[in-house]
Amino acid sequence: MKAQRYGIIGLRRASASLQSTAPKIALPWVLARQIPLAGSFGNSNSSHGARRLYSQSPGLKERLSDAAQNEASNPAMAFPCLDALETRSATLEARSLSSGPEPAYTVGDVEIFRYEEPFLLDWGGVLPRFEIAYETWGQMNSDKSNVILLHTGLSASSHAHSTEDNPQPGWWEKFIGPEKCLDTNRYFIVCTNVIGGCFGSTGPSDIDPADSQRYATRFPIVTIEDMVRAQFKLLEGLGVEKLYASVGSSMGGMQSLAAGVLFPHKVGRIVSISGCARSHPYSIAMRHTQRQVLMMDPNWNRGFYYGKIPPHAGMKLAREIATVTYRSGPEWEQRFGRRRADSTKPPALCPDFLIETYLDHAGEKFCLTYDPNSLLYISKAMDLFDLGLTNQESAALRRQSGSLTEINNASCSLTLPDVPYAERTDTETQLDGSEISVPADSRPPQDLIAGLAALRDIPTLVMGVASDILFPAWQQREVANALRLAGNRNVTHVELSEEQSMFGHDTFLLDLQNVGGNVKNFLG
Amino acid sequence: MKAQRYGIIGLRRASASLQSTAPKIALPWVLARQIPLAGSFGNSNSSHGARRLYSQSPGLKERLSDAAQNEASNPAMAFPCLDALETRSATLEARSLSSGPEPAYTVGDVEIFRYEEPFLLDWGGVLPRFEIAYETWGQMNSDKSNVILLHTGLSASSHAHSTEDNPQPGWWEKFIGPEKCLDTNRYFIVCTNVIGGCFGSTGPSDIDPADSQRYATRFPIVTIEDMVRAQFKLLEGLGVEKLYASVGSSMGGMQSLAAGVLFPHKVGRIVSISGCARSHPYSIAMRHTQRQVLMMDPNWNRGFYYGKIPPHAGMKLAREIATVTYRSGPEWEQRFGRRRADSTKPPALCPDFLIETYLDHAGEKFCLTYDPNSLLYISKAMDLFDLGLTNQESAALRRQSGSLTEINNASCSLTLPDVPYAERTDTETQLDGSEISVPADSRPPQDLIAGLAALRDIPTLVMGVASDILFPAWQQREVANALRLAGNRNVTHVELSEEQSMFGHDTFLLDLQNVGGNVKNFLG
């Protein structure tokens, strides 16, 4: 390309002529050429490791002479956000030396269910025994037919509603009570902390009975299905043979579906809000970054931070990233816009815009209230979630064998089939046309349709929110479509539009009217 | 609520009766009650700091006796991803001891423009002098009327296309050349590294002439407008009085608009692709998390890592988070799905799913090729970007005063006006109705319409991509609408649908047909 050559030559000429005339005509600029040394990591001490073809222009030193000798051109920046982290580390270290640093994450009375047999997990691990913390509201009827199992999101405890013994408001306080969405006049509601958690149920912060040390990262990989199987041991303990309904949002929406798939004859109805039937790669990516930031905190210490300074900085930032995925752009546009926390101050690299101080605050509130290892294990369980038939069959195989040896079997691959879009079967085409009008390009994979076939006879409410980034609305459409294509004639699908809710994934915690109203109607 | 009380009493009774009968009927479970000690941070050594009302069930020890004494129930987890980071730290430390650790980020020949006067920045800082690295393609015509200034994204160098001296492919290799999108037979194309960057232009890794130390975080806050003002000093140096066009994508799309606003009589045409006229809080939030993760890396050392181990782990993870915002869910669904990197292995907390190894790889490739402080400063400049009139007036005021004292003035607030949605003016309603059919709810703030009034007579192409999360398509619609409402009759707005591109924000790097084609048509 001759054209290029000319361009460069032209500039080089310009450079030369300007250099020689610069002192005379006092142009403030010079054109020159930079040629770096071979390789990108040179040993030269010059800036950029580069040789410059110009000589230093006179006059510059004079211009700078009004600045004090050896004083920087600009002041150093302050980092109050890092100061705060260092202060907290020091406080936590002092506490660990004086009184042992372990927080009890549970903040009120809970019931405890203890299962004394070894419990084999889906990926081959074992819990020699486990406990489940749970709370209940309402009254169980005589034939135990009015029980609703309420599943939580990732970091929630069993405290969905205040109790006499723990009057603190729960995470679904306004959704539970007499004549509320979950009506305590009619239903007996059970909410548990999941296994792997830190609010009373067995998790990584607990003692491994085998060696009396904390599990830490010797805790086995758990799955959503493991959590549900443990919950059904509790139901067994309570003498409950069949749930009136399995209800949950977010991770709880995964569990709610998994309950029906694992125990189709023990689940009367399913409500799955802002959940999914298989985690998709974008959600995995967003959880991956949270786990990585936590694991990179040196205080995490590969999970063995108990008795030491916990990885509070990593936890804080993981929560900030999570918070970005919990809400939506339009909400923040209205709520924060481009306002700065203090517009009289110059911009800073520490939190500066109001949205940044909001995220910072969300991280601060969370960073010492949840066990970091629990976050890792439960976040991972969500990634592994896949109700497709292939994955279910692999898990069943591993459960039978009860050991890790089987997972080297090729049949256990989590890979989806090469041809996920199979032709419709006769059964499907016989269904009510209006219910199965699924456009070809949004047809769920056949593997998922087959995997949800167990829910064929269970009335199901699937809700999604258009502004949700973490569990986007197409995932709930996928669940509803897969259920219908699997032959379920009792699928109610509700999608809240951007106009109805701009609260993104968090809508299930906030929208009493749309979320609460639809759940109440569905439960009947 | 009496109903609740009954539920809890019922369970407590069950617990008592089961405890006494458990040894006989050998039920594997126990119901009990957990009462934590006062306060959430107890001193107790028991798990959860809680008192349990059950006694240890017999038989458990026997069940576990087949496991070796004092051996954990499950194996410890391996963390190859952390091992890799530690290995790299060690390598970098060894290098810094032997030969100085500073990489020359520039990887080939560039031209250098040097400006010898102190350059005052928008937020009151000063560069005693600066350099701009640039490259050119094509041939400048005799009246210098065929110059296109091409702006880069955050982390790109001036190397948009290969040159004779540097045959490596550039970041827009296929878009530049004879009869290409930017036609080197017709245009003389200039691409620069922005100030604040690390590819030859003055940035935080450079020496502050005032004290001969590296700027590090004593580098002043820069803005997008500062970058553009510096670029126009270069154009002055080249003798260019008016650009044929200002073209850019992503951050370059911001610069492209800013060039027109700052120098309306020096810009013939504007192309702004996947950019915006004001950063919105969601984008700020996503950049905030990247900056925070980098600043939390202990090796960042508040910016003073030169000569030591650079914060490679923080850089790697910052790039992983960025990569999540550069692509889209649908693309990853097709490309990676739920495939695991090695399905014969059990799940791990280190990268495991294919999408995770992809992110990990993206971080690996980047973490030593870009100066961490440059990332912080340029990322911050993007947050600060706002072409609204209020912000422009504040910046002009600060530029006049040339010092930080003015920024304490209330008139310099970055806060948007309380009533952003003003009535249309007569001028606007006189325009072609089809061009200004902006729905009331998507009408840009009046402050932005006023801020873009300077572009009234500049033909402008605004492109967006529906699958872009970082610079969502509504932002480019906002730019186009604001320009039209400001009276610009030559606005071309193109939005690529989800069907046209699922590559999200990265579309501008990849889509030769739709992006390249529209740019070529527009440039004429």
Side-chain angles (χ1 to χ4, degrees):
Chain A
M1 264 194 246
K2 289 213 166 173
Q4 287 179 21
R5 189 72 193 154
Y6 174 78
I8 291 169
I9 290 173
L11 294 174
R12 202 188 274 158
R13 277 204 203 111
S15 164
S17 77
L18 286 167
Q19 264 183 281
S20 52
T21 57
K24 279 185 198 160
I25 63 168
L27 283 174
W29 35 260
V30 179
L31 296 162
R33 187 133 190 252
Q34 184 183 41
I35 303 169
L37 299 175
S40 62
F41 294 88
N43 295 349
S44 162
N45 287 325
S46 73
S47 172
H48 305 299
R51 179 162 55 93
R52 281 179 172 72
L53 298 184
Y54 49 74
S55 59
Q56 178 139 18
S57 160
L60 180 63
K61 271 183 188 152
E62 289 80 345
R63 267 179 236 122
L64 289 169
S65 63
D66 57 336
Q69 195 72 20
N70 290 332
E71 201 168 273
S73 299
N74 298 281
M77 213 169 276
F79 296 102
C81 57
L82 297 180
D83 296 338
L85 289 180
E86 287 173 9
T87 303
R88 183 159 57 227
S89 283
T91 308
L92 290 168
E93 184 163 32
R95 194 189 66 187
S96 79
L97 292 174
S98 68
S99 63
E102 296 321 319
Y105 295 106
T106 323
V107 289
D109 287 13
V110 292
E111 307 285 329
I112 291 289
F113 166 76
R114 187 174 197 173
Y115 187 80
E116 298 279 11
E117 298 277 354
F119 185 65
L120 297 178
L121 303 176
D122 279 359
W123 277 98
V126 63
L127 295 177
R129 64 182 183 223
F130 70 83
E131 292 177 348
I132 287 185
Y134 66 103
E135 294 172 66
T136 69
W137 303 268
Q139 212 168 333
M140 204 190 290
N141 60 12
S142 55
D143 61 355
K144 304 188 172 186
S145 64
N146 70 334
V147 179
I148 291 179
L149 179 60
L150 174 62
H151 307 274
T152 74
L154 193 164
S155 58
S157 72
S158 57
H159 197 57
H161 190 276
S162 52
T163 59
E164 281 196 8
D165 295 302
N166 180 0
Q168 272 195 283
W171 55 265
W172 236 26
E173 188 72 17
K174 292 183 180 166
F175 291 73
I176 301 172
E179 300 186 21
K180 295 287 176 63
C181 160
L182 300 186
D183 186 349
T184 48
N185 288 341
R186 302 177 59 190
Y187 306 116
F188 179 72
I189 295 134
V190 182
C191 184
T192 82
N193 182 221
V194 296
I195 59 166
C198 62
F199 296 117
S201 293
T202 298
S205 60
D206 282 307
I207 303 289
D208 181 351
D211 69 353
S212 303
Q213 304 292 312
R214 288 183 194 270
Y215 281 108
T217 43
R218 306 172 315 159
F219 197 78
I221 289 283
V222 294
T223 64
I224 300 292
E225 289 90 338
D226 289 331
M227 298 172 186
V228 170
R229 291 192 298 119
Q231 288 172 318
F232 274 74
K233 297 291 183 189
L234 161 65
L235 294 177
E236 204 180 305
L238 295 172
V240 177
E241 284 178 9
K242 181 170 183 173
L243 289 174
Y244 182 81
S246 173
V247 175
S249 306
S250 189
M251 183 179 80
M254 295 173 163
Q255 289 175 267
S256 201
L257 291 171
V261 167
L262 288 167
F263 306 101
H265 303 299
K266 295 186 171 187
V267 177
R269 278 156 204 78
I270 290 172
V271 175
S272 179
I273 304 164
S274 300
C276 67
R278 53 179 184 120
S279 287
H280 76 135
Y282 208 76
S283 309
I284 294 174
M286 290 192 274
R287 284 190 289 266
H288 163 85
T289 59
Q290 294 165 47
R291 289 192 298 268
Q292 287 292 310
V293 69
L294 173 51
M295 288 165 63
M296 274 191 199
D297 185 331
N299 286 324
W300 181 61
N301 194 30
R302 302 197 177 204
F304 295 88
Y305 50 81
Y306 302 109
K308 298 171 188 162
I309 304 173
H312 60 93
M315 280 296 276
K316 177 180 170 180
L317 191 43
R319 186 62 167 194
E320 294 191 50
I321 297 170
T323 304
V324 174
T325 69
Y326 291 161
R327 292 297 175 98
S328 82
E331 189 219 341
W332 288 350
E333 188 74 26
Q334 281 199 7
R335 190 163 160 202
F336 304 115
R338 292 187 43 75
R339 287 194 297 283
R340 295 179 58 219
D342 183 349
S343 60
T344 67
K345 290 197 179 137
L349 293 177
C350 275
D352 176 356
F353 283 93
L354 218 50
I355 177 64
E356 293 181 280
T357 57
Y358 163 80
L359 292 176
D360 189 81
H361 184 65
E364 284 287 322
K365 274 199 307 185
F366 183 75
C367 70
L368 291 176
T369 62
Y370 195 73
D371 180 55
N373 285 336
S374 282
L375 182 66
L376 293 173
Y377 278 89
I378 298 178
S379 162
K380 183 73 198 179
M382 292 171 77
D383 286 7
L384 292 169
F385 187 59
D386 179 3
L387 288 178
L389 188 63
T390 310
N391 187 47
Q392 281 185 50
E393 287 175 346
S394 307
L397 217 66
R398 288 192 305 268
R399 262 173 233 143
Q400 277 181 348
S401 74
S403 85
L404 270 171
T405 53
E406 285 301 314
I407 69 159
N408 290 316
N409 191 311
S411 69
C412 297
S413 159
L414 286 180
T415 309
L416 290 176
D418 286 340
V419 188
Y421 298 100
E423 289 302 307
R424 292 189 183 193
T425 66
D426 280 349
T427 320
E428 287 154 20
T429 49
Q430 283 162 13
L431 291 173
D432 176 349
S434 68
E435 280 202 343
I436 57 158
S437 61
V438 178
D441 62 351
S442 68
R443 193 185 158 87
Q446 191 59 40
D447 181 61
L448 189 63
I449 298 170
L452 294 183
L455 306 185
R456 194 193 149 103
D457 299 320
I458 307 177
T460 303
L461 169 64
V462 183
M463 287 189 72
V465 178
S467 57
D468 190 338
I469 291 150
L470 189 57
F471 288 78
W474 68 260
Q475 294 214 299
Q476 294 87 46
R477 285 197 293 272
E478 180 179 78
V479 172
N481 288 338
L483 286 171
R484 285 166 179 158
L485 291 168
N488 190 324
R489 290 166 172 272
N490 265 300
V491 178
T492 308
H493 175 236
V494 176
E495 185 169 316
L496 303 183
S497 68
E498 303 257 359
E499 288 69 38
Q500 286 174 297
S501 174
M502 57 168 73
F503 291 106
H505 188 62
D506 271 356
T507 298
F508 78 89
L509 292 171
L510 302 166
D511 192 339
L512 202 56
Q513 189 193 335
N514 290 308
V515 174
N518 277 295
V519 172
K520 190 173 161 70
N521 284 346
F522 175 79
L523 292 176
Chain B
M1 263 193 249
K2 290 215 162 173
Q4 288 180 20
R5 189 75 192 151
Y6 174 78
I8 291 168
I9 289 173
L11 294 173
R12 200 188 276 158
R13 276 204 204 112
S15 164
S17 78
L18 285 166
Q19 264 184 281
S20 53
T21 58
K24 279 185 197 160
I25 63 168
L27 283 173
W29 35 260
V30 180
L31 296 163
R33 188 134 189 253
Q34 183 183 41
I35 302 171
L37 299 175
S40 65
F41 294 89
N43 297 347
S44 160
N45 287 325
S46 73
S47 170
H48 305 300
R51 180 163 54 93
R52 280 182 173 70
L53 299 182
Y54 48 73
S55 58
Q56 179 141 16
S57 158
L60 180 63
K61 272 185 187 152
E62 289 82 343
R63 266 181 236 120
L64 291 169
S65 62
D66 55 338
Q69 196 71 22
N70 292 330
E71 202 168 273
S73 299
N74 299 281
M77 213 168 277
F79 296 103
C81 55
L82 297 180
D83 295 339
L85 289 180
E86 288 174 9
T87 302
R88 184 158 56 226
S89 284
T91 308
L92 290 168
E93 185 164 31
R95 193 188 66 187
S96 78
L97 292 174
S98 68
S99 62
E102 297 322 317
Y105 294 108
T106 322
V107 289
D109 287 13
V110 292
E111 307 286 329
I112 291 289
F113 166 76
R114 186 173 196 175
Y115 187 79
E116 297 280 11
E117 298 278 354
F119 186 62
L120 298 178
L121 303 177
D122 280 356
W123 278 99
V126 63
L127 294 178
R129 65 180 183 224
F130 70 82
E131 292 178 349
I132 287 185
Y134 67 102
E135 292 172 65
T136 68
W137 303 267
Q139 211 167 336
M140 204 190 292
N141 60 14
S142 54
D143 61 356
K144 303 190 173 183
S145 65
N146 71 334
V147 179
I148 291 180
L149 180 60
L150 175 62
H151 307 274
T152 72
L154 194 164
S155 57
S157 72
S158 57
H159 198 57
H161 190 276
S162 52
T163 59
E164 279 197 8
D165 295 300
N166 180 0
Q168 270 194 285
W171 55 265
W172 235 27
E173 187 72 18
K174 291 183 181 167
F175 290 74
I176 301 172
E179 298 186 23
K180 295 286 176 65
C181 159
L182 301 187
D183 186 350
T184 47
N185 288 343
R186 302 179 57 192
Y187 305 115
F188 178 72
I189 296 135
V190 181
C191 184
T192 82
N193 182 221
V194 295
I195 59 165
C198 61
F199 295 116
S201 294
T202 297
S205 60
D206 280 307
I207 304 289
D208 181 352
D211 70 352
S212 304
Q213 304 292 310
R214 287 183 194 270
Y215 280 109
T217 44
R218 306 172 315 160
F219 198 76
I221 289 283
V222 294
T223 64
I224 298 292
E225 289 89 339
D226 290 331
M227 298 171 185
V228 171
R229 290 191 301 120
Q231 287 173 320
F232 275 73
K233 297 290 184 192
L234 162 65
L235 294 177
E236 204 180 306
L238 294 173
V240 177
E241 284 178 10
K242 182 169 183 172
L243 288 174
Y244 182 81
S246 173
V247 176
S249 305
S250 190
M251 184 179 80
M254 295 174 163
Q255 288 174 267
S256 200
L257 291 172
V261 166
L262 288 167
F263 306 100
H265 303 298
K266 295 186 170 185
V267 176
R269 279 156 203 79
I270 290 173
V271 174
S272 179
I273 305 165
S274 301
C276 67
R278 52 180 185 119
S279 286
H280 76 135
Y282 209 76
S283 308
I284 295 174
M286 290 191 275
R287 283 190 289 264
H288 162 87
T289 59
Q290 294 165 46
R291 288 193 298 267
Q292 287 292 310
V293 69
L294 173 51
M295 289 165 61
M296 274 192 200
D297 185 330
N299 285 326
W300 181 61
N301 193 31
R302 302 196 177 204
F304 295 88
Y305 49 81
Y306 302 108
K308 300 173 186 159
I309 304 172
H312 61 92
M315 279 297 276
K316 177 180 170 180
L317 192 42
R319 186 62 167 194
E320 293 192 49
I321 296 170
T323 304
V324 174
T325 70
Y326 292 161
R327 293 296 175 98
S328 82
E331 189 219 341
W332 288 350
E333 188 74 26
Q334 281 199 7
R335 189 160 160 207
F336 304 115
R338 293 188 42 76
R339 288 194 296 282
R340 295 179 59 219
D342 183 349
S343 61
T344 65
K345 288 197 180 138
L349 292 177
C350 276
D352 177 356
F353 282 93
L354 217 51
I355 176 62
E356 294 181 279
T357 58
Y358 165 79
L359 292 176
D360 189 83
H361 184 64
E364 285 286 323
K365 273 198 307 185
F366 183 74
C367 70
L368 290 176
T369 62
Y370 196 73
D371 180 56
N373 286 336
S374 282
L375 182 66
L376 293 174
Y377 278 89
I378 298 178
S379 162
K380 183 73 198 179
M382 292 172 77
D383 287 7
L384 292 170
F385 187 59
D386 179 3
L387 288 178
L389 187 63
T390 310
N391 186 47
Q392 281 186 51
E393 288 175 344
S394 308
L397 217 67
R398 288 192 305 270
R399 262 173 234 144
Q400 277 180 350
S401 75
S403 84
L404 269 172
T405 53
E406 284 302 313
I407 70 158
N408 290 316
N409 190 312
S411 70
C412 297
S413 158
L414 285 181
T415 309
L416 289 176
D418 285 340
V419 188
Y421 298 99
E423 289 302 307
R424 292 188 183 194
T425 67
D426 281 348
T427 321
E428 287 153 21
T429 48
Q430 282 162 12
L431 292 172
D432 176 348
S434 69
E435 280 203 344
I436 58 156
S437 61
V438 177
D441 62 350
S442 68
R443 193 184 159 87
Q446 191 58 41
D447 181 60
L448 189 64
I449 297 170
L452 294 184
L455 305 186
R456 194 192 148 102
D457 298 320
I458 307 177
T460 303
L461 168 64
V462 183
M463 288 190 72
V465 178
S467 57
D468 190 338
I469 290 148
L470 188 58
F471 288 79
W474 68 260
Q475 295 215 297
Q476 295 87 46
R477 285 197 294 271
E478 181 179 75
V479 173
N481 288 337
L483 286 171
R484 286 164 179 163
L485 291 168
N488 190 325
R489 288 167 172 274
N490 266 301
V491 178
T492 310
H493 175 235
V494 176
E495 183 170 318
L496 303 183
S497 67
E498 303 257 358
E499 288 69 38
Q500 287 175 296
S501 173
M502 57 168 74
F503 291 106
H505 187 63
D506 271 355
T507 299
F508 78 88
L509 292 171
L510 303 165
D511 192 337
L512 201 56
Q513 189 194 335
N514 290 306
V515 174
N518 277 296
V519 172
K520 189 172 164 68
N521 285 345
F522 175 78
L523 292 177

